[in-house]
Amino acid sequence: MDPADEEEGREKPPVIYTMENKPIVTCAGDQNLFTSLYPTLSQQLPREPMEWRRSYGRAPKMIHLESNFVQFKEELLPKEGNKALLTFPFLHIYWTECCDTEVYKTTVKDDITKWQNVLKAHSSMDWLIVVVESDAKKKNKTNILPRTSIVDKIRNDFCNKQSDRCVVLSDPLKDSSRSQESWNAFLTKLRTLLLMSFTKNLGKFEDDMRTLREKRTEPGWSFCEYFMVQEELAFVFEMLQQFEDALVQYDELDALFSQYVVNFGAGDGANWLTFFCQPVRSWNGLILRKPIDMEKRELIQNQEATLLDLRSYLFSRQCTLLIFLQRPWEVSQRALELLHNCVQELKLLEVSVPPGALDCWVFLSCLEVLQRIEGCCDRAQIDANVSHTVGLWSYATEKLKSLGYLCGLVSEKGPNSEDLNRTVDLLAGLGAERPETANASQSPYKKLKEALSSVEAFEKHYLDLSHATIEMYTNIGRIRSAKLVGKDLAEFYMRKKGPQKAEVYLQGALKTYLAEGWALLVTHTRKQLAECQKQLGQIENYLQTSSLLAGDNHLTEEERKRFCQEILDFANQQAENQGQKVILPMHSFAQLKTLHFDPPNAVVHVGGKLCIELTLLSQMPIPVQVDQVAIHVHFSIEKNNYRKTAEWLTKHKTSNGVISFPNEITGLPLSRNNLPALELCEMYERSPSDNSLNTAGIICKNTHMLLRRQESSTSLDVPSGVTLEDGAHVLKCNNLTLEPGDNKIIFNIQAKEPGTYTLRQLCTSVGKVQFVLLHIYPIVQYDVYSQEPQLKVEPMTESLLAGIPQKVKFTVTTGHYTMKSGDTLQLSNADAMPILYHPESKAVIYSNTRGKPEKISESSLRIQSSEKITSISLPVAPAYHVIEFELEVMYLPSATESAVEKENTTHKESHRRKKEKQKQDNCMATVDQKVTIDCPWSIYSTIIALTFCIPFNAKHSLLSAGKRKYVQVCVQNLSELCFQLSDYSLKNSAECTDLQLVPLNPASQQVVYSKQSIFFVWELKWTKELPLSLQCLFSVSFCPATSEEQSLTLKPFTYEFQVENFFTLYHVKTEIFPPLDAEYCKTGSLCSLEVSITRLVELSEVDRDEALTESDGYCTTKLMYEVVDNSSNWAVCGKSSGVISMPVAPRATHKVHMEVMPLFAGYLPFPDVRLFKYLPHHSAHSMQLDADSWIENDNLSVDKNVDEQADSSSIRSRGSLHSTASGEHKGLPMPRLQPFSPGQVFNSSTGMQILVIPSKDDHVLEVNVT
């Protein structure tokens, strides 16, 4: 390139190859060369992404690089202090295809030197030299040096320390692999250098911006200047298509400005905020159709912008970036917040705003945002995201309504001159329509201008907006918001004299507020509804709403009185004209609080009196004269209801007679009271720098529980057909004055017909207006009964004891029968239970008409007794009274025990077991004594059963000492009383003179305490042989130990028993000998055990059984012995039992030897030796078994726990059971064992002990102490 061409090229304007919103790269050197390579370069550069790593730990991002290539000029280089990044050249490239050394030396080298000197003068270090090699030039010039020599010269001359700043591009216009590799290397280097330049320059810019922001507390700091700096950074991010980072810059500016406004409102204002406090003169709304609103940007740059200008420009930039990020719904959300915040900020900054100007700005802004969103979304997306935009529709509707009211477009007569002047001023503030919307038929500007042009146009636009907003809210389920818009629409219709249209919206809103319990909203809506119903002439509905408002505490006292007076005026007017009665619900007029019965159990007999006291809470603000308060009662007779007694009815009634009714908030459902309590928590937000408190608030945790929407099917409307029940039973109270608050109303009732009376409805009449409580709940009833006379006899104590006088209470309930003179109770006498008469006995008469006994009178009791009948004269008493008196009775028991029981009788055995169990449980035996009573009111006799308990239990036992015999009688006191015993005796029923019973107890009186026993012992002495069985009768006199001296003689307690087979037949003696050459028994050593069995008497009738063998006058019997140690002190070695043949002769002795081993040291009791009769089994086909073998093989189950003190009948019975069991053993004929009766065998070794010393080898000493 010759110098002339260069001169001409310098004079041309700079060439801009791409759009302005791309990073600038300057191109110096051969411009024609670059022009030929530009298409390929611009296409290939953004194709591959690069990872951009930024400072401060920010996450790396992949970006596609694009550049705006311009011709290099010194004017493009930034001057000192210029912070503009949009015009900043991030990289400088020098292009050359020189391949001749002479040309390089004469031209190219000087040109590169000048280029670098200019860059150095402006401190620009981001440059690159590109050398393009072409094969065509190699062929034209044969004397050229190799390419590397030129590159080396350039690198040596300009890239000594930065050799990578010179790159080679080989044959860039050819389609070859070599050319492609060269392009890839070049593009990689270009992207890398661009990213390095971005990182370095942006980092420096951010540091400078941060420094500027930190100076915001200094005087003279300007927010507008800082705004331009940070927006420059946002522009750069936008150039790099990093829209999220660009949005963050605007959000930070938004937050910073908002904080300054809040601080200004708190009294801490910055000086620069005064620029934004200038009055608002233009309210043309947001401008969102331009990427950048240059007009408002210039105002901000020149510090001439108002608050609305700044907010409009800032939001327009945020909107543009959000659209780029494909987040249009966030635009609507942010727009709604912006509009509300601007209204508050204007108030905080005390900016002067003409009336209606802000409404115009909000309305235009809402529609502008909605149309901007519609422009970038299709209809399906918009319909699916109505929840994001409906807030803007609602806000626009609200502001249009405000403009309509302000400009007189809703008034009945239309706008006046003042309204027209205000409208003209508002339209003037809009200015001219913007060019970008001038051709649009439905632009926000045209809509607002048209809406304010006439009453009809306003109504059309307002109704369209309102209906659209209500439909959107309903579709997304926001019913409350829809009803709120409906209320505004109803207010509009009321202004336009269309109450019939307004009522629909008011009723819908009221239903929702009632369902959710919004008390204040309910009150406000009812006031509007009352006016609507009044204009429509709906008298009944208007009176009902007025009654609700008259009792509403959310209204002022004057308003409540006004609505109450409306009801009273209507009631008096209707009364004069004799019109039809109007029936209204009771809950709005008064509330039923409590109901009190007297008597409390609400039970009264026929002819009795009942009092009902109502507590009625009047909700009216003034006293109201009531013509009548009536209770409608339902009467019913249940099956057998007339037979119910007062006692039965009382058990099924409330005890105090007070019934409370649930509190109900007037006009609100009870479900609101059942909502969960508020769960609130505190919220504090502190500054991260100095931890100072910024904001404080309250958060509700359970909002989802409190703001739940009710089911749409729930009906809360007052039922339309309020009717009164027709019935003959009506309780009335006339001419009352209900004061505000609680009022007591008393109804007195004379009971007539028996049955159940249910209080169904409560009606209060005021003139021709009746307030009705349709259902009294909970259910309230009272009963009227006609009772039959009754007689009840019950003991005065917990249980009646036999043998001593006991008090019995007689209760006569007269019922409908009147006791006359001469009426008596005829009791049949029983020998076992005489009735004791005391002259001082009294009969008391009670009245039970009030549900509780009330003493009326008292009279002496007259009793006449004959041989069979005891007659008790009853005092005179009226119907439905109670007569009570006490008598003493005494049951005379004959507690005998039969001593002879039939053997093997199942009934006797079961009776014995039951008796033993009763004794073990220490329970008293009971006896029922029936008494027949004839009553004067009935032809039938009444049978009464009294249960008496026998206080004593007696048992006997036979004791032996060799041949000497003793009888012991145990008397056990099972009652709770203490008795004194005396005059005890034991007699033989047979009056045998050869038998003498010698008492061993002292003859003095003895006391037996509760649950204690006392023993009596006699020794039997006889002179000749006695019979096998002795019948004995024990008798003892008793009386209560705590009672005084009684004139009445008590019958003694007797106990009859028999003693059988009490003679001693055998004497058993046991001896234990230590081993030979040992003085004492030792543990673990075998000792010798000798059992000696001696016959004491000759042959008697007792011995004649199957075991007896008689041969030549010599009689023998078979006995079985058994050695048992139940305490496990001894180990029996060898056979522990056996069968012996014992001669039946006095002094006949049989000795048995065996070995035993002591297991413990100490004084050990002897093992037990048991003796049984061995009865063989008689069978023709029986196989004779060896007795010892049978016992050794353990084929017989022997009862090891035979009670030697048991009576003979039980022993015989137990023996028979053994024989039965043994006979069935394995199908073989088995012998039987029969135990001896108590006293027939005397063991003289019982209770004896022997000393056992421990073995010397034992390391552990075990001692048994007994």
Side-chain angles (χ1 to χ4, degrees):
M1 181 182 295
D2 55 29
D5 294 337
E6 293 179 9
E7 184 79 19
E8 185 179 359
R10 292 191 193 100
E11 293 176 356
K12 294 180 180 179
V15 179
I16 298 177
Y17 299 100
T18 61
M19 296 177 58
E20 291 180 354
N21 59 343
K22 296 178 183 178
I24 296 176
V25 177
T26 65
C27 298
D30 192 347
Q31 297 296 323
N32 295 328
L33 173 63
F34 176 73
T35 303
S36 64
L37 298 178
Y38 172 72
T40 306
L41 179 60
S42 62
Q43 182 181 2
Q44 293 292 333
L45 180 62
R47 180 168 294 179
E48 294 293 333
M50 289 290 288
E51 185 182 39
W52 185 22
R53 295 182 176 273
R54 301 178 60 194
S55 58
Y56 298 106
R58 285 173 282 195
K61 295 184 178 181
M62 303 299 293
I63 63 174
H64 294 266
L65 291 173
E66 290 185 85
S67 294
N68 184 11
F69 295 94
V70 300
Q71 185 178 355
F72 175 77
K73 277 194 174 184
E74 188 175 353
E75 292 80 5
L76 293 176
L77 297 178
K79 296 179 176 58
E80 188 68 26
N82 186 4
K83 296 182 174 58
L85 285 176
L86 285 178
T87 58
F88 182 82
F90 287 93
L91 186 63
H92 306 278
I93 303 177
Y94 188 90
W95 298 86
T96 181
E97 58 177 352
C98 176
C99 56
D100 189 298
T101 306
E102 295 298 329
V103 175
Y104 170 73
K105 290 181 179 179
T106 58
T107 306
V108 176
K109 183 177 180 181
D110 294 340
D111 195 29
I112 294 177
T113 302
K114 293 179 182 178
W115 174 68
Q116 283 207 342
N117 290 335
V118 174
L119 294 180
K120 289 179 181 178
H122 291 81
S123 302
S124 181
M125 306 303 296
D126 299 308
W127 52 269
L128 179 67
I129 300 175
V130 182
V131 179
V132 180
E133 180 191 24
S134 175
D135 291 339
K137 289 195 174 186
K138 283 184 179 181
K139 294 178 181 179
N140 294 335
K141 298 182 180 181
T142 57
N143 60 344
I144 63 173
L145 293 174
R147 173 181 55 83
T148 53
S149 62
I150 297 295
V151 173
D152 291 340
K153 282 183 176 295
I154 295 175
R155 286 176 177 171
N156 290 331
D157 294 338
F158 304 103
C159 309
N160 290 332
K161 297 181 181 179
Q162 295 175 318
S163 59
D164 59 338
R165 291 300 178 103
C166 180
V167 297
V168 179
L169 191 59
S170 302
D171 291 326
L173 299 179
K174 285 188 176 182
D175 187 9
S176 64
S177 59
R178 182 169 174 266
S179 174
Q180 188 62 40
E181 290 177 2
S182 179
W183 268 112
N184 290 340
F186 168 68
L187 291 172
T188 302
K189 174 59 66 176
L190 180 60
R191 295 185 187 111
T192 302
L193 292 175
L194 275 174
L195 280 181
M196 290 172 59
S197 178
F198 290 156
T199 305
K200 179 181 67 175
N201 290 287
L202 286 182
K204 184 177 182 305
F205 186 87
E206 286 180 327
D207 291 340
D208 295 341
M209 183 187 73
R210 196 173 298 108
T211 302
L212 181 60
R213 185 173 62 219
E214 289 173 355
K215 294 180 180 180
R216 63 185 181 274
T217 57
E218 297 179 1
W221 186 85
S222 172
F223 175 80
C224 293
E225 293 179 4
Y226 176 75
F227 182 94
M228 291 300 163
V229 173
Q230 190 159 1
E231 188 185 30
E232 193 77 20
L233 182 61
F235 284 155
V236 174
F237 284 126
E238 188 177 356
M239 281 194 313
L240 299 176
Q241 296 185 357
Q242 301 302 307
F243 303 118
E244 190 70 48
D245 290 331
L247 182 62
V248 169
Q249 308 310 314
Y250 287 110
D251 289 345
E252 288 181 356
L253 289 169
D254 189 352
L256 181 61
F257 185 79
S258 299
Q259 187 61 49
Y260 269 106
V261 175
V262 172
N263 293 344
F264 184 87
D268 183 15
N271 295 331
W272 54 266
L273 269 175
T274 55
F275 297 110
F276 299 98
C277 296
Q278 53 187 316
V280 176
R281 296 184 178 85
S282 175
W283 41 87
N284 53 359
L286 297 174
I287 301 175
L288 305 180
R289 300 171 196 262
K290 294 179 181 180
I292 301 177
D293 188 352
M294 297 305 296
E295 296 178 4
K296 287 188 171 55
R297 190 174 189 275
E298 289 178 3
L299 292 175
I300 297 173
Q301 190 172 8
N302 298 330
Q303 298 186 4
E304 297 175 355
T306 63
L307 176 68
L308 294 183
D309 293 333
L310 176 66
R311 284 300 187 185
S312 298
Y313 176 76
L314 190 56
F315 181 77
S316 68
R317 294 297 300 138
Q318 291 172 322
C319 174
T320 301
L321 295 172
L322 287 171
I323 296 297
F324 284 155
L325 291 170
Q326 297 181 354
R327 286 150 58 181
W329 313 120
E330 190 174 339
V331 174
S332 62
Q333 177 186 349
R334 288 183 176 225
L336 195 58
E337 295 176 1
L338 167 76
L339 299 177
H340 285 287
N341 289 339
C342 282
V343 174
Q344 298 303 320
E345 288 176 349
L346 289 170
K347 293 180 180 179
L348 288 175
L349 296 179
E350 300 177 358
V351 177
S352 174
V353 183
L358 202 53
D359 295 333
C360 290
W361 185 79
V362 172
F363 178 79
L364 292 172
S365 299
C366 288
L367 296 188
E368 179 71 11
V369 174
L370 291 171
Q371 290 187 3
R372 183 69 180 93
I373 294 174
E374 290 175 359
C376 62
C377 300
D378 55 22
R379 176 48 56 185
Q381 289 178 312
I382 294 174
D383 293 340
N385 292 275
V386 170
S387 59
H388 297 94
T389 59
V390 67
L392 293 172
W393 286 101
S394 177
Y395 205 17
T397 306
E398 179 184 341
K399 292 306 175 184
L400 184 60
K401 183 192 75 168
S402 299
L403 289 171
Y405 281 68
L406 183 66
C407 298
L409 298 173
V410 190
S411 62
E412 185 177 353
K413 298 179 180 180
N416 53 28
S417 59
E418 185 181 352
D419 297 332
L420 293 175
N421 291 333
R422 188 179 295 114
T423 304
V424 171
D425 293 339
L426 290 176
L427 293 177
L430 299 179
E433 188 172 7
R434 306 185 193 104
E436 59 268 18
T437 62
N439 298 326
S441 60
Q442 294 294 323
S443 65
Y445 181 87
K446 291 186 177 67
K447 282 189 175 182
L448 179 58
K449 196 170 183 179
E450 182 182 353
L452 298 181
S453 62
S454 65
V455 175
E456 294 77 12
F458 173 80
E459 182 175 352
K460 174 183 178 300
H461 283 281
Y462 177 67
L463 293 180
D464 290 345
L465 279 176
S466 297
H467 291 151
T469 304
I470 291 174
E471 183 180 359
M472 292 179 192
Y473 274 135
T474 305
N475 290 340
I476 62 175
R478 291 179 59 178
I479 304 301
R480 300 186 194 94
S481 300
K483 300 303 181 185
L484 200 58
V485 179
K487 274 191 64 180
D488 294 338
L489 201 55
E491 185 179 353
F492 172 78
Y493 281 127
M494 291 296 292
R495 290 284 191 101
K496 302 294 287 186
K497 298 301 179 183
Q500 66 279 358
K501 295 180 180 179
E503 186 189 18
V504 178
Y505 293 103
L506 292 175
Q507 289 285 11
L510 181 61
K511 180 178 179 181
T512 301
Y513 300 150
L514 282 172
E516 299 178 355
W518 302 103
L520 291 174
L521 292 175
V522 167
T523 303
H524 184 264
T525 307
R526 279 200 178 123
K527 285 178 63 178
Q528 295 175 302
L529 186 60
E531 184 63 28
C532 180
Q533 291 168 343
K534 186 174 183 180
Q535 292 185 17
L536 289 173
Q538 298 176 354
I539 303 302
E540 185 172 342
N541 293 338
Y542 174 67
L543 291 176
Q544 179 179 338
T545 307
S546 297
S547 65
L548 290 169
L549 291 171
D552 196 334
N553 292 324
H554 296 101
L555 291 178
T556 62
E557 194 72 17
E558 290 73 18
E559 289 179 307
R560 293 180 59 193
K561 289 180 180 179
R562 178 171 62 86
F563 285 110
C564 181
Q565 196 60 45
E566 290 279 334
I567 302 172
L568 298 179
D569 293 344
F570 177 83
N572 296 332
Q573 175 187 355
Q574 288 291 326
E576 295 171 1
N577 300 336
Q578 295 299 318
Q580 187 178 2
K581 291 184 179 180
V582 177
I583 300 177
L584 301 176
M586 169 75 77
H587 65 84
S588 60
F589 177 74
Q591 286 186 12
L592 180 59
K593 303 293 288 184
T594 59
L595 185 146
H596 179 250
F597 282 109
D598 188 17
N601 58 4
V603 177
V604 64
H605 59 80
V606 175
K609 292 183 179 181
L610 180 71
C611 178
I612 300 177
E613 181 182 87
L614 292 184
T615 302
L616 206 60
L617 174 64
S618 174
Q619 300 182 138
M620 296 296 102
I622 59 176
V624 178
Q625 185 67 32
V626 177
D627 299 336
Q628 185 184 83
V629 178
I631 301 177
H632 294 253
V633 181
H634 175 74
F635 171 70
S636 64
I637 300 180
E638 300 177 3
K639 185 178 181 181
N640 297 329
N641 186 50
Y642 62 93
R643 295 185 180 273
K644 293 179 181 178
T645 63
E647 180 183 2
W648 186 94
L649 289 169
T650 303
K651 291 180 180 178
H652 296 78
K653 295 290 183 178
T654 56
S655 57
N656 57 0
V658 178
I659 300 167
S660 299
F661 298 90
N663 294 327
E664 181 182 358
I665 301 175
T666 307
L668 290 180
L670 289 175
S671 60
R672 183 66 179 173
N673 299 333
N674 299 329
L675 286 177
L678 284 171
E679 295 182 11
L680 301 177
C681 66
E682 300 174 350
M683 185 274 297
Y684 299 101
E685 184 177 340
R686 298 185 177 274
S687 173
S689 58
D690 55 357
N691 200 31
S692 61
L693 183 64
N694 287 345
T695 58
I698 297 176
I699 297 176
C700 179
K701 291 183 177 180
N702 58 341
T703 311
H704 61 289
M705 297 294 294
L706 297 168
L707 299 181
R708 286 185 301 178
R709 184 178 162 223
Q710 299 289 334
E711 295 295 332
S712 58
S713 59
T714 305
S715 176
L716 292 161
D717 296 336
V718 178
S720 55
V722 180
T723 57
L724 283 171
E725 291 184 354
D726 295 331
H729 299 276
V730 180
L731 311 179
K732 299 178 181 180
C733 191
N734 299 322
N735 298 325
L736 299 172
T737 299
L738 291 184
E739 300 288 340
D742 289 342
N743 295 268
K744 303 290 185 181
I745 303 174
I746 298 176
F747 298 86
N748 293 311
I749 305 167
Q750 183 77 27
K752 295 180 180 179
E753 190 174 355
T756 300
Y757 294 81
T758 304
L759 279 59
R760 289 287 183 87
Q761 292 181 339
L762 179 65
C763 176
T764 304
S765 300
V766 181
K768 290 300 181 180
V769 179
Q770 291 184 333
F771 296 95
V772 178
L773 179 61
L774 285 178
H775 304 287
I776 297 178
Y777 185 83
I779 297 175
V780 181
Q781 295 178 333
Y782 66 90
D783 290 275
V784 178
Y785 65 93
S786 176
Q787 188 180 6
E788 296 292 326
Q790 286 185 342
L791 171 65
K792 183 167 67 173
V793 181
E794 53 188 351
M796 297 293 291
T797 58
E798 184 178 353
S799 59
L800 296 174
L801 296 179
I804 59 176
Q806 298 284 279
K807 288 186 177 182
V808 177
K809 179 181 177 181
F810 285 74
T811 303
V812 178
T813 303
T814 61
H816 60 76
Y817 182 80
T818 302
M819 292 293 173
K820 302 178 293 295
S821 177
D823 287 345
T824 59
L825 294 179
Q826 304 288 336
L827 280 68
S828 59
N829 292 339
D831 296 336
M833 191 189 74
I835 296 176
L836 309 178
Y837 171 64
H838 294 280
E840 63 273 11
S841 298
K842 301 288 185 179
V844 183
I845 302 175
Y846 295 94
S847 170
N848 64 347
T849 56
R850 292 292 176 182
K852 56 183 179 180
E854 184 178 336
K855 186 174 179 181
I856 300 298
S857 62
E858 184 178 278
S859 61
S860 299
L861 195 65
R862 291 175 297 171
I863 300 178
Q864 295 180 354
S865 181
S866 63
E867 183 180 355
K868 294 184 178 182
I869 296 295
T870 297
S871 177
I872 303 173
S873 298
L874 296 176
V876 176
Y880 297 102
H881 281 62
V882 176
I883 303 174
E884 290 184 359
F885 58 88
E886 297 176 5
L887 292 180
E888 277 193 347
V889 298
M890 186 171 64
Y891 178 74
L892 305 176
S894 57
T896 60
E897 176 177 313
S898 178
V900 180
E901 298 183 5
K902 293 184 179 180
E903 195 170 348
N904 298 329
T905 304
T906 305
H907 176 70
K908 291 286 185 179
E909 181 67 20
S910 62
H911 176 71
R912 183 187 63 81
R913 290 181 180 178
K914 290 180 181 179
K915 184 178 71 175
E916 286 186 355
K917 182 179 179 182
Q918 187 182 34
K919 290 180 181 179
Q920 291 174 1
D921 295 341
N922 292 328
C923 295
M924 292 184 286
T926 59
V927 179
D928 289 338
Q929 178 64 40
K930 295 182 179 180
V931 180
T932 302
I933 304 176
D934 292 329
C935 303
W937 57 81
S938 176
I939 60 174
Y940 302 103
S941 298
T942 302
I943 298 178
I944 302 296
L946 295 177
T947 301
F948 291 88
C949 299
I950 309 298
F952 299 114
N953 177 38
K955 57 183 178 180
H956 71 281
S957 59
L958 181 66
L959 308 177
S960 301
K963 289 186 178 182
R964 298 178 67 178
K965 299 296 176 180
Y966 302 89
V967 174
Q968 176 181 275
V969 178
C970 173
V971 178
Q972 185 179 10
N973 181 9
L974 301 177
S975 69
E976 300 294 333
L977 298 179
C978 299
F979 290 95
Q980 186 171 335
L981 305 183
S982 61
D983 300 334
Y984 66 92
S985 65
L986 180 66
K987 297 180 180 179
N988 180 14
S989 300
E991 297 182 358
C992 180
T993 57
D994 298 325
L995 177 65
Q996 184 181 1
L997 295 173
V998 180
L1000 302 182
N1001 289 69
S1004 61
Q1005 296 181 350
Q1006 300 186 53
V1007 177
V1008 56
Y1009 295 95
S1010 172
K1011 309 298 180 182
Q1012 300 295 323
S1013 301
I1014 192 169
F1015 295 86
F1016 301 92
V1017 182
W1018 288 264
E1019 182 180 359
L1020 300 180
K1021 293 184 178 181
W1022 61 90
T1023 56
K1024 65 177 182 178
E1025 184 177 355
L1026 297 176
L1028 297 179
S1029 175
L1030 289 179
Q1031 195 74 21
C1032 299
L1033 178 63
F1034 169 75
S1035 174
V1036 61
S1037 299
F1038 68 95
C1039 66
T1042 58
S1043 64
E1044 300 176 354
E1045 190 66 25
Q1046 295 183 356
S1047 59
L1048 182 66
T1049 303
L1050 301 181
K1051 185 178 179 181
F1053 172 75
T1054 59
Y1055 172 62
E1056 187 177 356
F1057 61 94
Q1058 66 179 12
V1059 180
E1060 295 180 323
N1061 301 328
F1062 58 90
F1063 297 104
T1064 305
L1065 301 180
Y1066 296 97
H1067 175 264
V1068 179
K1069 183 179 180 182
T1070 306
E1071 288 184 294
I1072 298 178
F1073 303 99
L1076 296 176
D1077 302 330
E1079 185 178 359
Y1080 298 102
C1081 295
K1082 295 183 179 181
T1083 57
S1085 301
L1086 292 177
C1087 301
S1088 176
L1089 173 69
E1090 181 183 273
V1091 179
S1092 176
I1093 303 172
T1094 304
R1095 175 79 181 190
L1096 297 181
V1097 296
E1098 297 181 352
L1099 180 67
S1100 62
E1101 292 297 326
V1102 181
D1103 297 313
R1104 299 187 182 278
D1105 51 22
E1106 299 174 3
L1108 184 66
T1109 303
E1110 187 174 357
S1111 175
D1112 298 332
Y1114 181 73
C1115 298
T1116 60
T1117 185
K1118 286 189 176 183
L1119 303 177
M1120 176 187 170
Y1121 67 89
E1122 183 180 16
V1123 179
V1124 181
D1125 183 23
N1126 290 328
S1127 58
S1128 301
N1129 293 322
W1130 301 88
V1132 181
C1133 304
K1135 295 182 180 181
S1136 62
S1137 58
V1139 178
I1140 60 175
S1141 180
M1142 188 72 186
V1144 184
R1147 310 309 303 172
T1149 303
H1150 188 95
K1151 294 186 177 182
V1152 178
H1153 295 273
M1154 61 184 69
E1155 290 183 332
V1156 294
M1157 179 187 295
L1159 301 179
F1160 303 100
Y1163 283 95
L1164 302 185
F1166 281 21
D1168 295 333
V1169 178
R1170 298 178 181 178
L1171 205 61
F1172 303 92
K1173 283 187 179 182
Y1174 184 80
L1175 304 178
H1177 186 277
H1178 296 285
S1179 175
H1181 305 287
S1182 64
M1183 186 173 76
Q1184 190 67 29
L1185 297 177
D1186 180 65
D1188 290 344
S1189 172
W1190 165 63
I1191 295 173
E1192 183 178 332
N1193 293 337
D1194 199 17
N1195 291 330
L1196 176 65
S1197 176
V1198 180
D1199 188 357
K1200 304 295 183 183
N1201 299 309
V1202 177
D1203 186 4
E1204 293 186 359
Q1205 301 301 325
D1207 54 33
S1208 59
S1209 62
S1210 65
I1211 294 176
R1212 284 202 308 271
S1213 175
R1214 188 173 298 177
S1216 64
L1217 289 176
H1218 276 296
S1219 65
T1220 304
S1222 61
E1224 296 176 356
H1225 185 75
K1226 296 184 180 180
L1228 298 177
M1230 294 298 173
R1232 295 173 294 136
L1233 294 181
Q1234 179 178 326
F1236 287 96
S1237 299
Q1240 288 185 329
V1241 177
F1242 175 70
N1243 191 342
S1244 61
S1245 302
T1246 301
M1248 292 183 63
Q1249 295 178 335
I1250 186 171
L1251 176 62
V1252 178
I1253 63 176
S1255 175
K1256 294 181 180 180
D1257 297 333
D1258 290 342
H1259 297 287
V1260 178
L1261 181 63
E1262 295 186 11
V1263 179
N1264 189 328
V1265 180
T1266 58

